[in-house]
Amino acid sequence: MIIAQISDTHITLDTPDAEQRIRDFALTIADINALDPGPDVIVHTGDIAHNGRQDEYAQAVATLANARAPVYVLAGNRDNRTNLREAFSARGYLAPDSDFVAYAIDDYPVRLIALDTLSSASNKGDFCSERVGHLIDLTGLETTKPIAVFTHHPPFEVTVGPDRLHFESQDIMSGLRRALQHSGRVVAVFSGHVHRAAAGDVAGIPATVMPSIATTLRKGEYPADMRRRPVYHIHRFDPVWGFATETRLVAAQWDVVPRENGASAGEPRAPDYSCSRF
Ligand SMILES: [Fe+2]
């Protein structure tokens, strides 16, 4: 099984770098579409829209409509649960009547569980007792497959950057970590939020964080010719060895139709191999 993870696209329509963010997102989807073999699924681990606005989600939905693989989305701290649900309701995996955007997907050799770590009080993560109970219930509903869990906020300390803890308290993060260990079948945790690549663990369960797809918001040092090329993660699952995570830099030849040209934004153009491009 192959999972393409994308995160932190932070789509806006009216900031100076809005076109770049739309372009970064479209380039990434074009690149994922060109993978051979392609992924079984694409998972977006949140901060889809920068302000949680309906028009920002409409832009994100238009970009994701180009994806060949099925797409599943999580909510990040910049997202608005109501608008996100409305924008992505068509495929039916988001429960319309739940307080949280959390669900399990059982269509693959690995069970996929998406969690909602949003806080109503801050940009940091929260995971209240109701969510702990729901996670334990979700992991117990199917008992034969390994489980990959997706969260926006990473459930481990990321030691680079100004603040290593991305939950509101150690106790809250510990509650989530204990729930992740409960079934004994979670084999990987994949997160976003920090905008840089990082790796950690949850009591021996490997956990990774991917950089933001939005290159203008990405943290870390990149050489000049990589600064406007998004990177994303491919997680390949092997029944014996578990997940191997690969970081992929999008191909330089992808071009996208800019929004101001009146074409649908983010539509990939076929790569142009003519000499004039070199
Ligand atoms: Fe973000």
Side-chain angles (χ1 to χ4, degrees):
M1 179 183 190
I2 302 175
I3 302 168
Q5 183 193 0
I6 59 178
S7 200
D8 295 272
T9 45
H10 287 262
I11 292 300
T12 53
L13 302 178
D14 47 18
T15 57
D17 65 342
E19 292 300 333
Q20 184 63 48
R21 296 191 201 184
I22 293 168
R23 182 182 164 80
D24 290 338
F25 197 2
L27 281 169
T28 304
I29 297 303
D31 198 85
I32 292 171
N33 283 344
L35 293 173
D36 185 14
D40 297 286
V41 290
I42 300 169
V43 181
H44 191 314
T45 45
D47 280 1
I48 301 166
H50 192 65
N51 303 296
R53 281 173 16 192
Q54 288 176 323
D55 53 358
E56 294 170 343
Y57 287 116
Q59 176 63 56
V61 167
T63 301
L64 287 172
N66 294 317
R68 295 203 176 115
V71 180
Y72 296 94
V73 301
L74 275 68
N77 51 288
R78 302 292 314 203
D79 287 306
N80 174 292
R81 290 187 184 106
T82 304
N83 291 343
L84 181 151
R85 263 200 210 94
E86 207 173 282
F88 293 98
S89 62
R91 290 197 39 246
Y93 64 91
L94 298 172
D97 50 353
S98 167
D99 288 342
F100 303 109
V101 179
Y103 53 88
I105 303 296
D106 287 320
D107 301 343
Y108 305 99
V110 178
R111 191 155 199 258
L112 311 179
I113 292 182
L115 299 183
D116 182 327
T117 55
L118 270 59
S119 163
S120 54
S122 77
N123 282 333
K124 289 199 165 190
D126 189 12
F127 210 68
C128 53
S129 55
E130 187 181 346
R131 284 178 271 190
V132 167
H134 187 224
L135 172 55
I136 290 171
D137 288 348
L138 278 178
T139 54
L141 283 175
E142 199 281 346
T143 57
T144 61
K145 293 178 186 173
I147 300 168
V149 173
F150 296 84
T151 69
H152 182 66
H153 300 84
F156 64 94
E157 291 193 8
V158 177
T159 56
V160 183
D163 195 348
R164 52 205 294 165
L165 178 65
H166 293 282
F167 277 80
E168 288 182 332
S169 72
Q170 281 286 358
D171 280 352
I172 290 171
M173 190 171 76
S174 296
L176 169 56
R177 288 169 64 90
R178 279 194 299 275
L180 289 168
Q181 296 163 52
H182 186 266
S183 70
R185 291 185 302 109
V186 176
V187 296
V189 182
F190 303 122
S191 306
H193 183 62
V194 185
H195 293 206
R196 68 168 81 237
D201 77 287
V202 177
I205 304 166
T208 59
V209 178
M210 65 162 289
S212 58
I213 291 298
T215 56
T216 51
L217 303 175
R218 190 168 60 195
K219 305 278 198 333
E221 292 299 319
Y222 289 83
D225 59 352
M226 281 181 62
R227 281 191 196 131
R228 292 295 166 260
R229 290 172 66 186
V231 296
Y232 60 95
H233 279 184
I234 310 255
H235 308 293
R236 291 188 171 84
F237 180 73
D238 177 274
V240 174
W241 296 100
F243 277 101
T245 292
E246 177 185 315
T247 299
R248 178 163 166 95
L249 172 68
V250 302
Q253 76 267 29
W254 288 111
D255 201 357
V256 290
V257 180
R259 189 160 53 111
E260 64 269 23
N261 283 3
S264 76
E267 223 169 66
R269 274 187 199 142
D272 180 357
Y273 296 108
S274 64
C275 294
S276 60
R277 286 184 58 81
F278 298 99

